Amino acid sequence: MPPVVSPGASATPHESSVRYGPALTLLASLFFMWGFITVINNTLLPHLRAVFDLNYTQTTLIESVWFIAYFVASIPSAKLIEKIGYQKSLVTGLLIMAAGALGMMLAASMPSYGVTLTMLFVIASGITLLQVAANPYVAVVGKPETASSRLNLVQAMNSAGTMLAPMFGAYLILGRSKSGTATAGTVLTQAERIADAQSVILPYALVATVLIVLAVIIARFPLPAMGSATQRLAKEERKKHSLWQHRNLVFGVPAIFIYLIAEIGVANLFVNFVSQPQIANLTHEQAGKYLSFLWGGMMIGRFAGSAIMQKIDASIVLAAFSIGAFVVMLVTVFSTGPVAMWSLILVGLFHSIMFPTIFTLGIKGLGPLTEEGSGLLIMAIAGGALVVVQGYLADSYGLQTSFLLTAACELYVLFYALWGSRPTHALPDAAIES
């Protein structure tokens, strides 16, 4: 992964406000889009389950393919950024995503489960490139004392995308399909399956259009350049140190990996869970609208968590949120009706701070090793691929029981917050450059 340099020390306040404000606004739109597109999957999965008559294992395999892309594409993305630069990489990532969205239209017209998996992998690969490029870029543009504020802002935009996507998916995918408006247990005819498959053509056409427009805007936008002089210096300095001496990173990588299993499992199986007669007895379209509350809770939690962490240590806040998540997951498993549904919605509030907080704790004290550590943490997002394990548990022991896996994941996050996140062999900050 290309070096991550710290916020620009040489930029004056005037330069920051003039050069960086519009750039950050534009970059925030990228965070919004990849959050939006990622969460469309949560309404797409129950739809595809009905169209292709999939069991839970096959359904969650769709999301597994999505997150395998993070593991496969992270290192190639880093090498591409090093070769062509950040701005061209952002444009390339958007165009890859647009190509995948257009491919989803092809998969829907056939329809084909295999082509659907392939195109979702393509979209996720484009998002991976955006993640690897945009996260460090946002960290380095602007004044150093506002770096945390900038990252929180764009993460909030990501949450806004995840909150709005279920409404989009519920209306344009589930609301326009037989499977989305039918009651649980309805069996579709072959003609209805084909018609339902084609209902995703319009949504993905709209997504592809927006992505192409964004790519054109970013290609023509005068984004501030990132220097390279200190990158060479950092490479020499990094040779003197080892990542494996840093406990917070060593335990942070599996913490991200395991947390993603929990987050993605809840989001992907939410619609099917609350649609069950003993829970809320909703249609998939109605359940998809409630999914917005789950992601809305994550957005609220990030704002609240950011304020709380100004006064309380981040590891303590992470521990408290992990305990809250564990409790509501137990309620979800062992209750029924609206209580089970709302407890599952509430876990979004407790999940909200987990990824950014684990990420921040994981790179703390890495100094010149920060970029390699960041790369490992981004690759750990591939943990979402193991949601297929929960799909298997749902098929074998029941959907509600499968959420015990989520509860177990929360316990590892608690362990990380209380012990694993404590830095060892902390190093000074890496060299900085504007």
Side-chain angles (χ1 to χ4, degrees):
M1 182 175 177
V4 176
V5 282
S6 301
S10 62
T12 66
H14 176 71
E15 288 173 332
S16 297
S17 62
V18 173
R19 294 174 56 201
Y20 302 142
L24 287 172
T25 300
L26 184 58
L27 289 170
S29 68
L30 299 184
F31 282 77
F32 177 91
M33 281 305 299
W34 82 55
F36 185 90
I37 293 172
T38 298
V39 174
I40 284 181
N41 285 358
N42 302 148
T43 50
L44 186 66
L45 292 188
H47 170 78
L48 294 177
R49 174 176 161 81
V51 168
F52 296 115
D53 194 22
L54 307 175
N55 59 31
Y56 284 118
T57 303
Q58 292 169 316
T59 303
T60 49
L61 178 61
I62 296 171
E63 192 75 346
S64 293
V65 166
W66 180 273
F67 283 94
I68 286 170
Y70 277 93
F71 183 81
V72 173
S74 285
I75 300 232
S77 294
K79 292 185 180 297
L80 180 65
I81 294 167
E82 186 175 2
K83 185 174 181 180
I84 68 175
Y86 282 83
Q87 184 162 1
K88 290 181 179 179
S89 295
L90 293 173
V91 173
T92 302
L94 287 166
L95 293 178
I96 291 173
M97 291 167 64
L102 293 173
M104 284 293 291
M105 297 168 60
L106 172 65
S109 64
M110 299 174 67
S112 168
Y113 177 66
V115 176
T116 297
L117 289 179
T118 302
M119 291 305 127
L120 288 174
F121 181 88
V122 171
I123 295 173
S125 296
I127 290 178
T128 302
L129 178 54
L130 288 186
Q131 289 260 30
V132 176
N135 279 301
Y137 192 94
V138 169
V140 304
V141 292
K143 297 181 290 185
E145 60 270 25
T146 58
S148 179
S149 175
R150 291 193 300 274
L151 288 169
N152 280 319
L153 175 62
V154 295
Q155 285 291 341
M157 287 300 297
N158 182 269
S159 295
T162 62
M163 184 178 66
L164 292 176
M167 301 178 190
F168 177 89
Y171 178 73
L172 286 181
I173 297 178
L174 298 180
R176 297 170 60 247
S177 63
K178 177 68 175 179
S179 62
T181 55
T183 56
T186 301
V187 178
L188 303 183
T189 65
Q190 183 61 25
E192 288 172 335
R193 292 182 195 278
I194 294 174
D196 275 14
Q198 294 175 347
S199 68
V200 306
I201 292 178
L202 175 60
Y204 276 98
L206 295 174
V207 167
T209 300
V210 172
L211 291 172
I212 292 170
V213 169
L214 265 177
V216 172
I217 293 172
I218 290 179
R220 299 175 62 86
F221 193 88
L223 286 177
M226 292 172 59
S228 60
T230 57
Q231 294 177 8
R232 291 190 295 272
L233 175 62
K235 287 179 182 178
E236 293 301 317
E237 181 67 21
R238 285 197 300 274
K239 294 177 182 178
K240 304 175 185 177
H241 305 286
S242 170
L243 285 170
W244 309 114
Q245 294 179 329
H246 298 271
R247 177 173 63 190
N248 52 310
L249 176 68
V250 171
F251 288 102
V253 170
I256 291 285
F257 191 93
I258 290 169
Y259 162 69
L260 260 294
I261 297 174
E263 178 188 311
I264 302 308
V266 168
N268 285 359
L269 296 174
F270 178 90
V271 171
N272 288 112
F273 177 72
V274 303
S275 298
Q276 294 181 115
Q278 73 273 24
I279 304 300
N281 197 28
L282 303 174
T283 66
H284 284 173
E285 179 189 10
Q286 293 168 331
K289 294 176 181 177
Y290 277 94
L291 185 60
S292 295
F293 290 107
L294 176 75
W295 294 113
M298 290 194 73
M299 183 176 68
I300 293 170
R302 281 179 175 169
F303 282 119
S306 176
I308 293 170
M309 279 185 265
Q310 292 180 10
K311 298 182 179 180
I312 302 176
D313 185 78
S315 61
I316 296 175
V317 178
L318 180 62
F321 274 57
S322 63
I323 292 171
F326 177 74
V327 170
V328 297
M329 288 315 303
L330 290 183
V331 173
T332 299
V333 172
F334 295 108
S335 63
T336 58
V339 172
M341 181 184 76
W342 285 105
S343 64
L344 189 60
I345 290 173
L346 190 59
V347 80
L349 180 67
F350 292 112
H351 277 171
S352 61
I353 68 158
M354 289 189 181
F355 178 84
T357 305
I358 294 170
F359 193 93
T360 302
L361 293 172
I363 62 174
K364 188 176 181 179
L366 295 189
L369 301 175
T370 299
E371 55 274 14
E372 283 89 351
S374 299
L376 290 175
L377 290 167
I378 288 174
M379 288 185 70
I381 294 174
L386 286 190
V387 69
V388 70
V389 175
Q390 186 169 355
Y392 172 78
L393 293 175
D395 287 329
S396 303
Y397 304 102
L399 179 55
Q400 190 164 14
T401 302
S402 74
F403 285 113
L404 285 174
L405 174 64
T406 311
C409 293
E410 317 296 1
L411 291 179
Y412 183 87
V413 176
L414 176 61
F415 154 77
Y416 181 72
L418 295 178
W419 186 83
S421 62
R422 298 177 184 175
T424 53
H425 298 87
L427 298 170
D429 290 338
I432 60 175
E433 182 176 354
S434 175

